[in-house]
Amino acid sequence: MVITPKIRSNICINAHPVGCAKEVEREIAYVQAQKAKRGVLAAAEGGKGPKTVLVLGCSTGYGLASRITAAFEYGADTIGVSFEKEATETKGGTPGWYNNAAFDRAAKAAGLKSVTLNGDAYSNEMRASVIEEIKKMGGKIDLLIYSLASPVRNDPDKIDPETGAHVMYRSVIKPIGKTYGGKCLDIINEKLTEMSADPANDAEIETTVKVMGGEDWQLWIDALQKAGVLADGFCTLAYSYIGPELSHPIYRDGTIGQAKKHLEKTALNLNEQLKKSVNGSAYVSENKGLVTRSSAVIPIISLYLAVLFKIMKKMGIHEGCIEQMERLFSERLYINGGALGDVPVDAEHRIRIDDWELRDDVQAQAQKAMAAVNDDNVREYCDLEGYKHDFLVTNGFDVEGVDYNKDVADMRSID
Protein backbone atom coordinates (compact mmCIF):
# COMPACT_ATOMS: atom_id res chain seq x y z
CA MET A 1 0.00 0.00 0.00
CA VAL A 2 0.99 3.63 -0.44
CA ILE A 3 1.17 5.28 2.99
CA THR A 4 0.09 8.89 3.41
CA PRO A 5 -0.26 10.80 6.69
CA LYS A 6 -3.60 10.47 8.46
CA ILE A 7 -4.21 13.57 10.55
CA ARG A 8 -6.99 13.91 13.10
CA SER A 9 -7.36 17.00 15.30
CA ASN A 10 -3.77 18.14 14.71
CA ILE A 11 -2.41 14.67 15.54
CA CYS A 12 -0.88 12.27 13.01
CA ILE A 13 -2.18 8.78 13.77
CA ASN A 14 -0.06 6.64 11.45
CA ALA A 15 3.61 6.25 10.55
CA HIS A 16 5.78 5.53 7.52
CA PRO A 17 8.30 2.71 8.23
CA VAL A 18 10.97 3.82 5.76
CA GLY A 19 10.59 7.47 6.70
CA CYS A 20 11.08 6.74 10.39
CA ALA A 21 14.20 4.71 9.64
CA LYS A 22 15.66 7.37 7.36
CA GLU A 23 15.19 10.04 10.02
CA VAL A 24 16.98 7.87 12.60
CA GLU A 25 19.82 7.44 10.11
CA ARG A 26 19.96 11.22 9.61
CA GLU A 27 20.29 11.80 13.35
CA ILE A 28 23.02 9.16 13.57
CA ALA A 29 24.92 10.82 10.74
CA TYR A 30 24.65 14.18 12.53
CA VAL A 31 26.22 12.97 15.78
CA GLN A 32 28.91 11.08 13.90
CA ALA A 33 29.83 14.31 12.15
CA GLN A 34 29.82 16.15 15.49
CA LYS A 35 32.03 13.46 16.99
CA ALA A 36 34.63 14.10 14.29
CA LYS A 37 34.22 17.88 14.53
CA ARG A 38 34.58 17.97 18.31
CA GLY A 39 37.25 15.27 18.47
CA VAL A 40 35.20 13.15 20.88
CA LEU A 41 36.75 9.81 21.78
CA ALA A 42 34.54 6.86 22.59
CA ALA A 43 35.36 4.76 25.65
CA ALA A 44 36.88 2.10 23.38
CA GLU A 45 39.09 4.83 21.88
CA GLY A 46 40.35 5.98 25.26
CA GLY A 47 37.64 8.54 25.95
CA LYS A 48 36.01 9.17 29.31
CA GLY A 49 32.36 9.44 28.31
CA PRO A 50 29.56 6.99 29.11
CA LYS A 51 30.18 3.29 28.54
CA THR A 52 26.77 1.76 29.26
CA VAL A 53 23.60 3.85 29.14
CA LEU A 54 19.98 3.11 30.04
CA VAL A 55 17.32 5.24 28.32
CA LEU A 56 13.78 5.07 29.66
CA GLY A 57 11.54 6.41 26.91
CA CYS A 58 14.02 5.65 24.13
CA SER A 59 11.83 5.57 21.05
CA THR A 60 11.08 9.17 20.07
CA GLY A 61 12.03 12.79 20.70
CA TYR A 62 14.64 13.63 23.27
CA GLY A 63 14.92 10.05 24.53
CA LEU A 64 15.76 8.69 21.09
CA ALA A 65 18.16 11.57 20.42
CA SER A 66 19.89 10.90 23.74
CA ARG A 67 20.33 7.23 22.91
CA ILE A 68 21.69 8.05 19.47
CA THR A 69 24.16 10.55 20.93
CA ALA A 70 25.34 8.16 23.65
CA ALA A 71 25.86 5.34 21.16
CA PHE A 72 27.13 6.97 17.99
CA GLU A 73 29.11 9.89 19.38
CA TYR A 74 30.36 8.37 22.63
CA GLY A 75 30.40 4.69 21.66
CA ALA A 76 28.22 3.58 24.55
CA ASP A 77 26.35 0.29 24.73
CA THR A 78 22.69 1.03 25.38
CA ILE A 79 19.55 -0.45 26.84
CA GLY A 80 16.31 1.23 25.77
CA VAL A 81 12.81 0.89 27.17
CA SER A 82 9.60 2.04 25.51
CA PHE A 83 6.01 0.89 25.03
CA GLU A 84 5.20 0.60 21.33
CA LYS A 85 2.65 -1.10 19.12
CA GLU A 86 4.43 -3.66 16.99
CA ALA A 87 3.83 -3.71 13.26
CA THR A 88 2.45 -6.73 11.42
CA GLU A 89 2.68 -7.48 7.71
CA THR A 90 -0.52 -5.56 7.00
CA LYS A 91 -0.87 -3.20 9.98
CA GLY A 92 1.47 -0.37 10.86
CA GLY A 93 3.29 0.02 14.14
CA THR A 94 3.88 3.18 16.10
CA PRO A 95 6.66 5.55 15.00
CA GLY A 96 8.69 4.52 18.03
CA TRP A 97 8.58 0.86 17.03
CA TYR A 98 10.16 1.69 13.68
CA ASN A 99 12.66 4.06 15.30
CA ASN A 100 13.79 1.35 17.69
CA ALA A 101 14.20 -1.14 14.85
CA ALA A 102 16.32 1.33 12.90
CA PHE A 103 18.45 2.15 15.93
CA ASP A 104 19.10 -1.50 16.78
CA ARG A 105 20.05 -2.26 13.17
CA ALA A 106 22.51 0.63 13.04
CA ALA A 107 24.00 -0.22 16.44
CA LYS A 108 24.60 -3.80 15.38
CA ALA A 109 26.29 -2.64 12.18
CA ALA A 110 28.54 -0.35 14.24
CA GLY A 111 29.51 -3.14 16.66
CA LEU A 112 27.65 -1.59 19.60
CA LYS A 113 25.64 -3.61 22.09
CA SER A 114 21.99 -2.63 21.99
CA VAL A 115 19.02 -4.11 23.84
CA THR A 116 15.53 -2.69 23.35
CA LEU A 117 12.73 -3.77 25.68
CA ASN A 118 9.12 -3.15 24.71
CA GLY A 119 6.76 -2.88 27.68
CA ASP A 120 5.51 -0.87 30.63
CA ALA A 121 8.46 1.11 31.99
CA TYR A 122 6.48 1.88 35.15
CA SER A 123 6.22 -1.78 36.18
CA ASN A 124 8.39 -3.69 38.63
CA GLU A 125 8.58 -6.48 36.05
CA MET A 126 10.30 -4.16 33.59
CA ARG A 127 12.73 -3.01 36.27
CA ALA A 128 13.66 -6.64 36.90
CA SER A 129 14.11 -7.27 33.15
CA VAL A 130 16.34 -4.21 32.78
CA ILE A 131 18.50 -5.24 35.73
CA GLU A 132 18.93 -8.67 34.17
CA GLU A 133 20.01 -7.11 30.87
CA ILE A 134 22.47 -4.77 32.62
CA LYS A 135 24.12 -7.76 34.28
CA LYS A 136 24.37 -9.54 30.93
CA MET A 137 25.86 -6.46 29.30
CA GLY A 138 28.63 -5.96 31.80
CA GLY A 139 27.12 -5.40 35.20
CA LYS A 140 27.00 -1.61 35.63
CA ILE A 141 25.51 1.47 33.99
CA ASP A 142 27.05 4.92 34.27
CA LEU A 143 24.19 7.01 32.84
CA LEU A 144 20.40 6.79 33.02
CA ILE A 145 18.22 9.06 30.91
CA TYR A 146 14.66 9.36 32.21
CA SER A 147 12.55 10.57 29.28
CA LEU A 148 9.17 8.94 29.82
CA ALA A 149 6.15 10.86 28.50
CA SER A 150 2.93 8.93 28.91
CA PRO A 151 -0.60 10.15 29.66
CA VAL A 152 -1.13 7.27 32.10
CA ARG A 153 0.84 5.33 34.70
CA ASN A 154 -0.01 2.11 36.48
CA ASP A 155 1.08 2.10 40.12
CA PRO A 156 3.38 -0.94 40.49
CA ASP A 157 2.58 -1.38 44.18
CA LYS A 158 -1.14 -0.57 44.46
CA ILE A 159 -3.98 -2.84 43.40
CA ASP A 160 -7.58 -1.72 42.95
CA PRO A 161 -9.59 -4.07 45.21
CA GLU A 162 -12.62 -3.86 42.94
CA THR A 163 -10.92 -4.69 39.64
CA GLY A 164 -7.82 -6.54 40.81
CA ALA A 165 -5.75 -4.40 38.43
CA HIS A 166 -3.02 -1.94 39.25
CA VAL A 167 -4.28 1.52 40.19
CA MET A 168 -4.00 3.78 37.14
CA TYR A 169 -3.16 7.48 37.28
CA ARG A 170 -4.00 9.77 34.37
CA SER A 171 -2.35 13.12 33.64
CA VAL A 172 -4.06 16.22 32.26
CA ILE A 173 -2.76 19.44 30.74
CA LYS A 174 -4.79 22.09 32.50
CA PRO A 175 -4.32 25.43 34.25
CA ILE A 176 -4.85 25.79 37.99
CA GLY A 177 -7.29 28.30 39.47
CA LYS A 178 -8.82 29.77 36.32
CA THR A 179 -9.51 29.03 32.67
CA TYR A 180 -6.64 29.63 30.25
CA GLY A 181 -6.96 30.18 26.52
CA GLY A 182 -5.53 31.88 23.50
CA LYS A 183 -4.60 31.61 19.86
CA CYS A 184 -3.38 28.32 18.43
CA LEU A 185 -2.05 27.35 15.03
CA ASP A 186 -4.02 24.99 12.81
CA ILE A 187 -1.01 23.89 10.83
CA ILE A 188 -2.95 21.94 8.21
CA ASN A 189 -5.24 24.84 7.25
CA GLU A 190 -2.63 27.49 8.08
CA LYS A 191 -5.06 29.46 10.20
CA LEU A 192 -5.33 30.61 13.78
CA THR A 193 -7.92 29.13 16.09
CA GLU A 194 -8.98 29.84 19.66
CA MET A 195 -8.52 27.17 22.29
CA SER A 196 -9.11 27.15 26.03
CA ALA A 197 -8.71 24.77 28.94
CA ASP A 198 -10.74 24.74 32.15
CA PRO A 199 -8.91 24.65 35.49
CA ALA A 200 -7.97 21.32 37.04
CA ASN A 201 -9.44 20.03 40.25
CA ASP A 202 -7.31 18.73 43.13
CA ALA A 203 -7.59 15.11 42.03
CA GLU A 204 -6.37 15.94 38.53
CA ILE A 205 -3.39 17.83 39.92
CA GLU A 206 -2.51 14.90 42.16
CA THR A 207 -2.75 12.27 39.43
CA THR A 208 -0.75 14.39 36.98
CA VAL A 209 2.06 14.60 39.52
CA LYS A 210 1.82 10.83 39.96
CA VAL A 211 2.32 10.32 36.22
CA MET A 212 4.74 13.09 35.27
CA GLY A 213 6.52 13.79 38.55
CA GLY A 214 9.56 12.11 40.05
CA GLU A 215 8.01 9.17 41.91
CA ASP A 216 8.75 6.59 39.22
CA TRP A 217 12.25 7.99 38.62
CA GLN A 218 12.96 7.48 42.32
CA LEU A 219 11.67 3.90 42.13
CA TRP A 220 14.01 3.17 39.23
CA ILE A 221 17.08 4.52 41.00
CA ASP A 222 16.21 2.66 44.21
CA ALA A 223 15.78 -0.63 42.34
CA LEU A 224 19.00 -0.24 40.35
CA GLN A 225 20.97 0.79 43.42
CA LYS A 226 19.63 -2.15 45.42
CA ALA A 227 20.65 -4.49 42.60
CA GLY A 228 24.18 -3.08 42.64
CA VAL A 229 24.23 -2.11 38.97
CA LEU A 230 25.20 1.57 39.29
CA ALA A 231 28.81 2.34 38.42
CA ASP A 232 30.96 4.64 40.52
CA GLY A 233 30.27 8.20 39.36
CA PHE A 234 26.87 7.20 37.96
CA CYS A 235 24.71 10.07 36.67
CA THR A 236 21.00 10.28 35.96
CA LEU A 237 19.08 12.90 34.03
CA ALA A 238 15.37 13.69 33.61
CA TYR A 239 13.97 16.11 31.05
CA SER A 240 11.67 19.05 31.59
CA TYR A 241 10.51 22.33 30.07
CA ILE A 242 10.00 25.83 31.46
CA GLY A 243 9.03 27.85 28.40
CA PRO A 244 8.06 31.51 28.00
CA GLU A 245 6.02 33.46 30.54
CA LEU A 246 2.98 33.56 28.28
CA SER A 247 2.65 29.77 28.54
CA HIS A 248 3.23 29.53 32.29
CA PRO A 249 -0.47 29.46 33.26
CA ILE A 250 -1.07 26.31 31.18
CA TYR A 251 2.38 24.78 31.62
CA ARG A 252 4.81 25.89 34.31
CA ASP A 253 2.07 26.97 36.74
CA GLY A 254 -0.46 24.36 35.58
CA THR A 255 -0.82 20.66 36.25
CA ILE A 256 2.22 19.66 34.17
CA GLY A 257 4.26 22.34 35.90
CA GLN A 258 3.37 20.95 39.32
CA ALA A 259 4.59 17.56 38.14
CA LYS A 260 7.80 19.06 36.79
CA LYS A 261 8.45 20.87 40.06
CA HIS A 262 8.08 17.51 41.81
CA LEU A 263 10.55 16.09 39.29
CA GLU A 264 13.05 18.84 40.13
CA LYS A 265 12.65 18.20 43.86
CA THR A 266 13.24 14.51 43.22
CA ALA A 267 16.47 15.38 41.38
CA LEU A 268 17.77 17.19 44.44
CA ASN A 269 16.95 14.20 46.66
CA LEU A 270 18.49 11.75 44.22
CA ASN A 271 21.59 13.89 43.89
CA GLU A 272 22.24 13.62 47.63
CA GLN A 273 21.39 9.91 47.67
CA LEU A 274 23.71 9.08 44.76
CA LYS A 275 26.51 11.31 46.00
CA LYS A 276 26.65 9.28 49.20
CA SER A 277 26.26 5.84 47.64
CA VAL A 278 28.21 5.84 44.36
CA ASN A 279 29.81 9.28 44.14
CA GLY A 280 27.03 10.02 41.67
CA SER A 281 24.73 12.83 40.63
CA ALA A 282 21.22 13.61 39.40
CA TYR A 283 19.92 16.50 37.34
CA VAL A 284 16.89 17.82 35.54
CA SER A 285 17.70 19.26 32.14
CA GLU A 286 15.41 22.09 31.02
CA ASN A 287 15.18 21.66 27.26
CA LYS A 288 13.99 23.71 24.30
CA GLY A 289 10.38 23.65 23.15
CA LEU A 290 9.80 21.34 20.18
CA VAL A 291 6.88 19.96 18.21
CA THR A 292 5.38 16.93 19.96
CA ARG A 293 2.03 15.16 19.92
CA SER A 294 0.97 17.11 23.00
CA SER A 295 2.26 20.55 21.98
CA ALA A 296 -0.16 20.63 19.04
CA VAL A 297 -3.17 20.60 21.36
CA ILE A 298 -2.03 22.93 24.17
CA PRO A 299 -3.44 26.48 23.97
CA ILE A 300 -0.89 28.98 22.58
CA ILE A 301 2.03 26.49 22.43
CA SER A 302 1.69 25.53 18.75
CA LEU A 303 1.58 29.17 17.65
CA TYR A 304 4.44 30.12 19.95
CA LEU A 305 6.64 27.34 18.59
CA ALA A 306 5.99 28.33 14.97
CA VAL A 307 6.90 31.93 15.86
CA LEU A 308 9.94 30.81 17.86
CA PHE A 309 11.29 28.62 15.06
CA LYS A 310 11.18 31.51 12.59
CA ILE A 311 13.08 33.78 14.97
CA MET A 312 15.71 31.23 16.00
CA LYS A 313 16.33 30.06 12.43
CA LYS A 314 16.84 33.65 11.31
CA MET A 315 19.34 34.08 14.15
CA GLY A 316 21.07 30.78 13.32
CA ILE A 317 20.42 29.20 16.73
CA HIS A 318 17.51 26.85 16.06
CA GLU A 319 17.90 23.25 17.25
CA GLY A 320 15.89 20.07 16.82
CA CYS A 321 15.98 17.09 19.17
CA ILE A 322 19.30 15.69 17.99
CA GLU A 323 21.10 19.04 17.94
CA GLN A 324 19.84 19.84 21.43
CA MET A 325 20.84 16.50 22.94
CA GLU A 326 24.23 16.47 21.26
CA ARG A 327 24.92 19.88 22.77
CA LEU A 328 23.65 18.69 26.15
CA PHE A 329 26.11 15.80 26.15
CA SER A 330 29.12 17.62 24.76
CA GLU A 331 28.73 21.06 26.36
CA ARG A 332 27.11 20.20 29.68
CA LEU A 333 27.69 16.58 30.72
CA TYR A 334 30.95 15.53 29.05
CA ILE A 335 32.65 18.83 28.35
CA ASN A 336 35.31 18.65 25.64
CA GLY A 337 34.87 14.89 25.46
CA GLY A 338 36.11 14.45 29.01
CA ALA A 339 34.75 12.69 32.07
CA LEU A 340 31.57 13.78 33.81
CA GLY A 341 32.70 16.51 36.16
CA ASP A 342 31.49 19.92 37.16
CA VAL A 343 28.22 20.14 35.26
CA PRO A 344 27.09 23.78 34.91
CA VAL A 345 23.72 24.32 36.61
CA ASP A 346 21.52 27.24 37.63
CA ALA A 347 20.73 28.31 41.21
CA GLU A 348 18.17 25.50 41.49
CA HIS A 349 20.57 22.75 40.34
CA ARG A 350 19.01 22.54 36.88
CA ILE A 351 20.90 22.12 33.60
CA ARG A 352 19.76 24.89 31.24
CA ILE A 353 19.99 23.77 27.64
CA ASP A 354 16.98 25.99 26.93
CA ASP A 355 19.34 28.96 27.19
CA TRP A 356 19.08 29.93 23.53
CA GLU A 357 15.27 29.80 23.48
CA LEU A 358 14.93 31.96 26.59
CA ARG A 359 17.50 34.57 25.60
CA ASP A 360 16.11 38.07 26.20
CA ASP A 361 16.44 39.08 22.54
CA VAL A 362 14.67 35.92 21.34
CA GLN A 363 11.80 36.30 23.79
CA ALA A 364 11.38 40.02 23.04
CA GLN A 365 10.90 39.23 19.35
CA ALA A 366 8.57 36.33 20.18
CA GLN A 367 6.34 38.52 22.33
CA LYS A 368 6.02 41.13 19.59
CA ALA A 369 5.22 38.50 16.97
CA MET A 370 2.64 36.76 19.17
CA ALA A 371 0.84 40.06 19.66
CA ALA A 372 0.86 40.94 15.97
CA VAL A 373 0.14 37.63 14.23
CA ASN A 374 -3.26 37.03 12.61
CA ASP A 375 -4.73 35.01 9.73
CA ASP A 376 -3.58 37.54 7.17
CA ASN A 377 0.08 37.66 8.21
CA VAL A 378 0.59 34.18 9.65
CA ARG A 379 3.29 33.34 7.09
CA GLU A 380 5.15 36.55 7.90
CA TYR A 381 5.51 35.67 11.58
CA CYS A 382 5.40 31.85 11.62
CA ASP A 383 7.71 29.19 10.23
CA LEU A 384 4.84 27.19 8.75
CA GLU A 385 7.01 24.94 6.59
CA GLY A 386 9.41 24.19 9.45
CA TYR A 387 6.64 23.49 11.94
CA LYS A 388 4.76 21.32 9.45
CA HIS A 389 7.96 19.40 8.64
CA ASP A 390 8.67 18.72 12.31
CA PHE A 391 5.04 17.71 12.81
CA LEU A 392 5.21 15.19 9.96
CA VAL A 393 8.76 13.92 10.41
CA THR A 394 8.04 12.56 13.90
CA ASN A 395 5.85 10.01 12.15
CA GLY A 396 8.19 9.33 9.26
CA PHE A 397 6.67 11.70 6.70
CA ASP A 398 8.32 14.56 4.79
CA VAL A 399 11.72 12.89 5.23
CA GLU A 400 14.29 13.62 2.53
CA GLY A 401 15.20 10.65 0.36
CA VAL A 402 11.97 8.70 0.81
CA ASP A 403 9.74 7.83 -2.15
CA TYR A 404 6.27 8.26 -0.67
CA ASN A 405 4.64 7.02 -3.86
CA LYS A 406 6.31 3.64 -3.52
CA ASP A 407 4.18 0.70 -2.44
CA VAL A 408 4.96 -0.69 1.02
CA ALA A 409 4.33 -4.42 0.77
CA ASP A 410 5.24 -5.34 4.37
CA MET A 411 4.49 -2.92 7.20
CA ARG A 412 7.23 -4.53 9.31
CA SER A 413 10.01 -3.58 6.91
CA ILE A 414 12.07 -0.42 7.37
CA ASP A 415 13.89 -0.78 4.03
Side-chain angles (χ1 to χ4, degrees), residues 29 31 92 110 119 127 137 142 144 146 161 166 176 178 191 217 252-253 256 268 297 312 335 337 340 350 379 407 414:
V31 300
R127 281 185 257 276
M137 194 171 277
D142 41 27
L144 184 155
Y146 189 89
H166 287 276
I176 295 174
K178 60 181 180 180
K191 292 184 177 181
W217 188 21
R252 189 64 185 175
D253 298 330
I256 294 295
L268 294 173
V297 294
M312 295 188 75
I335 298 173
L340 188 73
R350 302 174 301 192
R379 281 191 165 272
D407 182 69
I414 58 174

Side-chain angles (χ1 to χ4, degrees), residues 4 14 22 36 54 62 69 80 82 136 174 186 198 236 247 249 259 263 265 279 283 292 339 341 349 370 400 409:
T4 57
N14 65 335
K22 284 285 188 184
L54 170 61
Y62 281 134
T69 302
S82 62
K136 289 180 186 177
K174 289 186 176 184
D186 179 347
D198 293 329
T236 184
S247 73
L263 190 74
K265 183 178 179 181
N279 190 33
Y283 305 94
T292 65
H349 188 71
M370 289 290 288
E400 186 177 353

Side-chain angles (χ1 to χ4, degrees), residues 237-238 240-242 252 260-261 263-265 267-268 282-286 328 332 343-354 358:
L237 224 66
S240 185
Y241 181 63
I242 292 176
R252 189 64 185 175
K260 295 303 185 182
K261 290 169 186 175
L263 190 74
E264 292 165 9
K265 183 178 179 181
L268 294 173
Y283 305 94
V284 165
S285 176
E286 304 291 354
L328 170 65
R332 297 295 188 274
V343 176
V345 294
D346 66 10
E348 298 179 52
H349 188 71
R350 302 174 301 192
I351 297 173
R352 302 304 298 270
I353 205 72
D354 61 350
L358 296 185

